[in-house]
Amino acid sequence: MAEDLLQVRDLKKYFPVMKGIIPRQVGAVKAVDGVTFDVKEGETLGLVGESGCGKSTTGRLLLRLLEPTAGQIIFNGKDITRLNAREMRPIRKQLQMVFQDPYASLNPRMTVEEILSEPMRVHGIGDRHSRVRKVMELLDVVGLASYHARRYPHEFSGGQRQRIGIARALAVNPKLIICDEPVSALDVSIQAQVINLLEDLQKEFGLTYIFIAHDLSVVKHISDRVAVMYLGRIVELGTDTQLYREPRHPYTRALLSAIPIPNPKHKKQRVILKGDVPSPLNPPSGCHFHNRCQQVMNICRTEIPHLQDLGNGHQVACHLYRETKTA
């Protein structure tokens, strides 16, 4: 059985809200509010939820692109939460990211060869000639031609740019790649190609992915396990089979009911959520979802539900299953 490559414990990120001529803190945006999960070596964990639920912030915290307010990030057995910039440098080589927007994530002033060579140069990998050879290998791996190395980002389509972004992440031989909505800006026909490429690369190089998305139908095709986030917290976590066949949390059921089925004869029961997503500046007490939940109880308004195991690693943070925990 594969070992845990990444362990995240009670991770939090609060952005202070300042006010006044002499700035003073009057509140905090609770973007990530106590997230806990593990990722095993070689697996893909999908991280899903509505826009603004804290998915991308979580991804940036794991790479230390943002500094966490509290919690632990243990990568490959080492707590990287409080490491300084010098101590983080060798670890950054093992942690890479594929960004959401292929048009904004590549430097328009650099050729593809320069873009792919830069990570290797920064981390002192090889000499100039070996880096050029590596660039050609990377282009071939992601399905681009060697002559593309001399071109600039504006000369490529969105799908090709995202392939360059994936090649850049692979340049330093990472162990974990965080894919931050890597297909959401692409045409549907191109999305499947990029997802298939990511799966092939995972098999070839033994990669581990955290795949961030808001589209559950996309996550289903690539993820081994899926974590559902709502307003900075994980509300359900399980294998793709558990989550899609037996969703337990009311929010997960609502998300799944919104996935269109390409069959006009199949009548699907939609779960319509009332109200809007509350502000992370002033989230509801207790369960953050209680003001939109159709099964709300009094305890939901006052007590925070914590993730509990329902069996076979299927976890849910919901007071409806308190009996399961105490049984």
Side-chain angles (χ1 to χ4, degrees):
M1 188 174 179
E3 296 183 355
D4 290 336
L5 179 66
L6 180 72
Q7 297 171 304
V8 180
R9 297 289 178 267
D10 199 27
L11 188 64
K12 297 180 181 180
K13 179 60 180 179
Y14 296 169
F15 293 98
V17 176
M18 313 301 286
K19 195 174 182 181
I21 298 174
I22 301 175
R24 60 186 180 88
Q25 185 172 340
V26 295
V29 175
K30 298 181 178 180
V32 179
D33 195 16
V35 166
T36 296
F37 62 86
D38 299 328
V39 183
K40 295 191 180 299
E41 197 165 352
E43 83 164 335
T44 300
L45 176 71
L47 200 57
V48 301
E50 292 173 282
S51 296
C53 72
K55 309 182 300 295
S56 294
T57 303
T58 300
R60 283 164 169 72
L61 288 171
L62 299 179
L63 290 178
R64 292 281 307 279
L65 298 178
L66 292 173
E67 293 300 320
T69 304
Q72 275 187 309
I73 304 165
I74 301 169
F75 175 72
N76 211 14
K78 185 172 186 177
D79 188 348
I80 66 170
T81 320
R82 301 287 176 253
L83 299 183
N84 59 36
R86 181 179 56 81
E87 294 168 328
M88 271 299 296
R89 181 175 284 267
I91 293 170
R92 289 196 186 282
K93 193 163 57 173
Q94 303 174 56
L95 293 162
Q96 290 295 305
M97 192 167 198
V98 177
F99 294 93
Q100 176 178 357
D101 188 355
Y103 293 91
S105 61
L106 303 178
N107 190 332
R109 296 176 179 271
M110 297 172 72
T111 64
V112 169
E113 181 182 326
E114 291 169 333
I115 288 169
L116 300 186
S117 296
E118 187 179 36
M120 294 182 273
R121 180 175 54 78
V122 167
H123 289 284
I125 299 174
D127 56 21
R128 186 180 180 280
H129 295 293
S130 65
R131 289 197 288 267
V132 171
R133 285 197 305 272
K134 179 74 170 179
V135 167
M136 299 306 165
E137 291 172 10
L138 289 169
L139 289 173
D140 181 58
V141 161
V142 298
L144 295 174
S146 58
Y147 63 82
H148 286 140
R150 297 185 296 275
R151 294 186 177 179
Y152 289 86
H154 74 270
E155 300 178 79
F156 295 92
S157 66
Q160 289 175 319
R161 290 190 195 201
Q162 199 59 291
R163 288 173 185 266
I164 296 167
I166 293 168
R168 179 177 59 184
L170 290 172
V172 289
N173 302 316
K175 289 185 175 181
L176 174 67
I177 296 181
I178 295 173
C179 304
D180 184 10
E181 304 210 34
V183 297
S184 64
L186 306 178
D187 293 341
V188 174
S189 59
I190 306 300
Q191 289 182 4
Q193 295 177 18
V194 173
I195 289 172
N196 290 337
L197 172 63
L198 288 169
E199 289 180 323
D200 292 342
L201 293 174
Q202 185 174 40
K203 293 172 186 173
E204 185 174 350
F205 298 108
L207 298 170
T208 304
Y209 291 144
I210 293 178
F211 193 93
I212 299 170
H214 62 267
D215 190 340
L216 276 163
S217 59
V218 170
V219 171
K220 183 178 182 180
H221 292 291
I222 193 170
S223 300
D224 300 304
R225 291 188 302 136
V226 181
V228 180
M229 284 190 73
Y230 182 80
L231 213 61
R233 295 176 183 169
I234 290 178
V235 297
E236 189 163 2
L237 175 63
T239 65
D240 57 341
T241 304
Q242 290 169 340
L243 211 75
Y244 287 87
R245 289 186 181 175
E246 293 185 274
R248 297 299 187 93
H249 198 281
Y251 177 62
T252 310
R253 292 185 191 132
L255 286 181
L256 288 171
S257 76
I259 299 176
I261 296 176
N263 183 353
K265 295 181 180 179
H266 188 281
K267 299 299 180 183
K268 193 172 186 180
Q269 184 67 38
R270 281 293 311 273
V271 179
I272 307 297
L273 296 177
K274 59 184 180 181
D276 298 319
V277 180
S279 168
L281 180 61
N282 186 27
S285 59
C287 175
H288 285 351
F289 187 63
H290 81 253
N291 61 336
R292 304 178 75 194
C293 182
Q294 297 176 352
Q295 298 170 277
V296 62
M297 303 178 291
N298 287 333
I299 191 173
C300 303
R301 297 183 174 91
T302 56
E303 190 173 321
I304 298 172
H306 299 287
L307 282 173
Q308 52 185 307
D309 201 325
L310 303 180
N312 298 318
H314 191 175
Q315 300 178 8
V316 65
C318 182
H319 291 303
L320 290 171
Y321 304 96
R322 287 172 63 87
E323 294 80 6
T324 305
K325 186 176 182 180
T326 55

Short mmCIF file of all heavy atoms in Angstrom, two decimals, residues 44 46 48 181-184 188 191-192 194-195 198-199 211-223 226 244 259:
data_model
loop_
_atom_site.label_atom_id
_atom_site.label_comp_id
_atom_site.label_asym_id
_atom_site.label_seq_id
_atom_site.Cartn_x
_atom_site.Cartn_y
_atom_site.Cartn_z
N THR A 44 -4.34 10.59 -7.25
CA THR A 44 -4.87 11.90 -7.61
C THR A 44 -6.02 12.23 -6.67
O THR A 44 -7.00 11.49 -6.60
CB THR A 44 -5.39 11.91 -9.07
OG1 THR A 44 -4.31 11.58 -9.94
CG2 THR A 44 -5.93 13.28 -9.43
N GLY A 46 -8.92 14.87 -6.01
CA GLY A 46 -9.68 15.98 -6.56
C GLY A 46 -10.17 16.89 -5.46
O GLY A 46 -10.63 16.42 -4.42
N VAL A 48 -12.84 19.89 -5.00
CA VAL A 48 -13.93 20.53 -5.74
C VAL A 48 -14.79 21.40 -4.83
O VAL A 48 -14.78 21.26 -3.61
CB VAL A 48 -14.83 19.48 -6.43
CG1 VAL A 48 -14.02 18.63 -7.39
CG2 VAL A 48 -15.53 18.59 -5.42
N GLU A 181 -7.33 24.09 -11.58
CA GLU A 181 -8.32 24.22 -12.65
C GLU A 181 -7.63 24.30 -14.02
O GLU A 181 -7.83 25.26 -14.77
CB GLU A 181 -9.21 25.45 -12.41
CG GLU A 181 -9.90 25.43 -11.06
CD GLU A 181 -11.24 26.15 -11.06
OE1 GLU A 181 -11.93 26.09 -12.08
OE2 GLU A 181 -11.58 26.73 -10.03
N PRO A 182 -6.84 23.28 -14.37
CA PRO A 182 -6.01 23.37 -15.58
C PRO A 182 -6.80 23.30 -16.88
O PRO A 182 -6.25 23.59 -17.94
CB PRO A 182 -5.08 22.16 -15.45
CG PRO A 182 -5.86 21.17 -14.65
CD PRO A 182 -6.65 21.99 -13.67
N VAL A 183 -8.07 22.90 -16.84
CA VAL A 183 -8.84 22.77 -18.08
C VAL A 183 -10.05 23.70 -18.14
O VAL A 183 -10.77 23.72 -19.13
CB VAL A 183 -9.30 21.31 -18.31
CG1 VAL A 183 -8.10 20.38 -18.46
CG2 VAL A 183 -10.21 20.84 -17.18
N SER A 184 -10.29 24.47 -17.10
CA SER A 184 -11.51 25.28 -17.04
C SER A 184 -11.52 26.40 -18.08
O SER A 184 -12.59 26.88 -18.49
CB SER A 184 -11.71 25.87 -15.64
OG SER A 184 -10.66 26.76 -15.33
N VAL A 188 -14.16 22.40 -24.54
CA VAL A 188 -14.50 21.06 -24.04
C VAL A 188 -13.73 19.99 -24.80
O VAL A 188 -13.26 19.00 -24.22
CB VAL A 188 -16.02 20.82 -24.15
CG1 VAL A 188 -16.37 19.39 -23.77
CG2 VAL A 188 -16.77 21.79 -23.26
N GLN A 191 -10.28 19.86 -23.39
CA GLN A 191 -10.20 19.42 -21.99
C GLN A 191 -9.86 17.94 -21.88
O GLN A 191 -9.01 17.54 -21.09
CB GLN A 191 -11.53 19.70 -21.28
CG GLN A 191 -11.80 21.16 -21.01
CD GLN A 191 -13.09 21.39 -20.27
OE1 GLN A 191 -13.77 20.44 -19.87
NE2 GLN A 191 -13.47 22.64 -20.08
N ALA A 192 -10.54 17.12 -22.69
CA ALA A 192 -10.31 15.68 -22.64
C ALA A 192 -8.86 15.34 -23.01
O ALA A 192 -8.24 14.46 -22.40
CB ALA A 192 -11.27 14.95 -23.57
N VAL A 194 -6.16 17.22 -22.58
CA VAL A 194 -5.26 17.60 -21.49
C VAL A 194 -5.38 16.63 -20.32
O VAL A 194 -4.38 16.23 -19.71
CB VAL A 194 -5.55 19.05 -21.05
CG1 VAL A 194 -4.75 19.42 -19.80
CG2 VAL A 194 -5.24 20.03 -22.17
N ILE A 195 -6.61 16.21 -20.00
CA ILE A 195 -6.80 15.25 -18.91
C ILE A 195 -6.14 13.91 -19.24
O ILE A 195 -5.47 13.30 -18.40
CB ILE A 195 -8.30 15.07 -18.61
CG1 ILE A 195 -8.85 16.33 -17.94
CG2 ILE A 195 -8.54 13.86 -17.70
CD1 ILE A 195 -10.34 16.34 -17.76
N LEU A 198 -2.42 14.29 -18.76
CA LEU A 198 -2.04 14.25 -17.34
C LEU A 198 -2.04 12.81 -16.82
O LEU A 198 -1.15 12.43 -16.05
CB LEU A 198 -3.00 15.12 -16.53
CG LEU A 198 -2.86 16.64 -16.70
CD1 LEU A 198 -4.04 17.36 -16.04
CD2 LEU A 198 -1.54 17.14 -16.12
N GLU A 199 -3.03 12.02 -17.22
CA GLU A 199 -3.08 10.62 -16.78
C GLU A 199 -1.90 9.82 -17.33
O GLU A 199 -1.31 9.00 -16.61
CB GLU A 199 -4.40 9.99 -17.21
CG GLU A 199 -5.61 10.52 -16.44
CD GLU A 199 -6.91 9.88 -16.88
OE1 GLU A 199 -7.06 9.62 -18.10
OE2 GLU A 199 -7.77 9.63 -16.03
N PHE A 211 -5.86 17.77 -7.93
CA PHE A 211 -6.56 18.33 -9.09
C PHE A 211 -7.70 19.20 -8.59
O PHE A 211 -8.71 18.71 -8.09
CB PHE A 211 -7.07 17.20 -9.97
CG PHE A 211 -7.53 17.64 -11.32
CD1 PHE A 211 -6.66 17.63 -12.41
CD2 PHE A 211 -8.84 18.08 -11.53
CE1 PHE A 211 -7.08 18.04 -13.67
CE2 PHE A 211 -9.27 18.50 -12.77
CZ PHE A 211 -8.39 18.47 -13.85
N ILE A 212 -7.53 20.52 -8.71
CA ILE A 212 -8.52 21.49 -8.23
C ILE A 212 -9.48 21.83 -9.37
O ILE A 212 -9.04 22.14 -10.48
CB ILE A 212 -7.82 22.76 -7.73
CG1 ILE A 212 -6.89 22.43 -6.55
CG2 ILE A 212 -8.83 23.82 -7.32
CD1 ILE A 212 -5.98 23.56 -6.14
N ALA A 213 -10.78 21.76 -9.10
CA ALA A 213 -11.77 22.06 -10.14
C ALA A 213 -13.10 22.38 -9.49
O ALA A 213 -13.34 22.07 -8.32
CB ALA A 213 -11.92 20.87 -11.09
N HIS A 214 -13.97 23.03 -10.27
CA HIS A 214 -15.34 23.24 -9.80
C HIS A 214 -16.31 22.33 -10.54
O HIS A 214 -17.49 22.27 -10.19
CB HIS A 214 -15.75 24.71 -9.99
CG HIS A 214 -15.75 25.16 -11.41
ND1 HIS A 214 -14.66 25.75 -12.00
CD2 HIS A 214 -16.70 25.08 -12.38
CE1 HIS A 214 -14.94 26.02 -13.26
NE2 HIS A 214 -16.17 25.62 -13.52
N ASP A 215 -15.83 21.62 -11.54
CA ASP A 215 -16.65 20.75 -12.37
C ASP A 215 -16.49 19.30 -11.92
O ASP A 215 -15.46 18.67 -12.17
CB ASP A 215 -16.26 20.91 -13.84
CG ASP A 215 -17.22 20.22 -14.78
OD1 ASP A 215 -17.96 19.32 -14.32
OD2 ASP A 215 -17.24 20.56 -15.97
N LEU A 216 -17.49 18.76 -11.25
CA LEU A 216 -17.42 17.39 -10.73
C LEU A 216 -17.32 16.36 -11.85
O LEU A 216 -16.73 15.29 -11.65
CB LEU A 216 -18.64 17.10 -9.87
CG LEU A 216 -18.54 17.56 -8.40
CD1 LEU A 216 -19.91 17.60 -7.77
CD2 LEU A 216 -17.64 16.63 -7.62
N SER A 217 -17.88 16.63 -13.01
CA SER A 217 -17.82 15.66 -14.10
C SER A 217 -16.39 15.53 -14.64
O SER A 217 -15.98 14.46 -15.09
CB SER A 217 -18.77 16.06 -15.23
OG SER A 217 -18.45 17.34 -15.73
N VAL A 218 -15.61 16.61 -14.60
CA VAL A 218 -14.21 16.56 -15.02
C VAL A 218 -13.38 15.80 -13.99
O VAL A 218 -12.56 14.93 -14.32
CB VAL A 218 -13.64 17.98 -15.22
CG1 VAL A 218 -12.13 17.95 -15.41
CG2 VAL A 218 -14.31 18.65 -16.41
N VAL A 219 -13.60 16.10 -12.72
CA VAL A 219 -12.84 15.47 -11.63
C VAL A 219 -13.05 13.96 -11.62
O VAL A 219 -12.14 13.19 -11.31
CB VAL A 219 -13.25 16.10 -10.28
CG1 VAL A 219 -12.66 15.32 -9.12
CG2 VAL A 219 -12.80 17.55 -10.22
N LYS A 220 -14.25 13.53 -11.97
CA LYS A 220 -14.59 12.10 -11.93
C LYS A 220 -13.65 11.27 -12.79
O LYS A 220 -13.32 10.13 -12.45
CB LYS A 220 -16.04 11.91 -12.40
CG LYS A 220 -16.53 10.48 -12.35
CD LYS A 220 -17.98 10.40 -12.79
CE LYS A 220 -18.50 8.97 -12.68
NZ LYS A 220 -19.92 8.88 -13.12
N HIS A 221 -13.19 11.82 -13.91
CA HIS A 221 -12.40 11.05 -14.87
C HIS A 221 -10.94 10.89 -14.45
O HIS A 221 -10.26 10.00 -14.95
CB HIS A 221 -12.46 11.71 -16.25
CG HIS A 221 -13.81 11.63 -16.88
ND1 HIS A 221 -14.35 10.45 -17.32
CD2 HIS A 221 -14.75 12.58 -17.11
CE1 HIS A 221 -15.56 10.67 -17.82
NE2 HIS A 221 -15.82 11.95 -17.71
N ILE A 222 -10.45 11.73 -13.56
CA ILE A 222 -9.01 11.70 -13.25
C ILE A 222 -8.71 11.36 -11.80
O ILE A 222 -7.61 10.91 -11.49
CB ILE A 222 -8.35 13.05 -13.64
CG1 ILE A 222 -6.82 12.93 -13.64
CG2 ILE A 222 -8.82 14.18 -12.74
CD1 ILE A 222 -6.12 14.13 -14.23
N SER A 223 -9.66 11.53 -10.89
CA SER A 223 -9.37 11.43 -9.45
C SER A 223 -9.58 10.03 -8.90
O SER A 223 -10.50 9.32 -9.30
CB SER A 223 -10.24 12.42 -8.66
OG SER A 223 -9.98 13.73 -9.08
N VAL A 226 -11.89 12.17 -3.87
CA VAL A 226 -12.40 13.52 -4.07
C VAL A 226 -12.73 14.15 -2.72
O VAL A 226 -13.36 13.51 -1.87
CB VAL A 226 -13.67 13.52 -4.96
CG1 VAL A 226 -14.18 14.93 -5.18
CG2 VAL A 226 -13.39 12.85 -6.31
N TYR A 244 -19.64 9.58 -5.86
CA TYR A 244 -20.59 9.73 -6.96
C TYR A 244 -21.78 8.78 -6.84
O TYR A 244 -22.86 9.08 -7.35
CB TYR A 244 -19.88 9.52 -8.30
CG TYR A 244 -18.99 10.68 -8.66
CD1 TYR A 244 -17.66 10.72 -8.22
CD2 TYR A 244 -19.45 11.75 -9.42
CE1 TYR A 244 -16.83 11.79 -8.55
CE2 TYR A 244 -18.64 12.82 -9.74
CZ TYR A 244 -17.34 12.83 -9.31
OH TYR A 244 -16.52 13.90 -9.61
N ILE A 259 -24.96 18.10 -12.37
CA ILE A 259 -24.22 17.57 -13.51
C ILE A 259 -25.20 17.15 -14.59
O ILE A 259 -26.07 16.30 -14.35
CB ILE A 259 -23.34 16.37 -13.10
CG1 ILE A 259 -22.31 16.80 -12.05
CG2 ILE A 259 -22.64 15.78 -14.32
CD1 ILE A 259 -21.48 15.65 -11.53
#
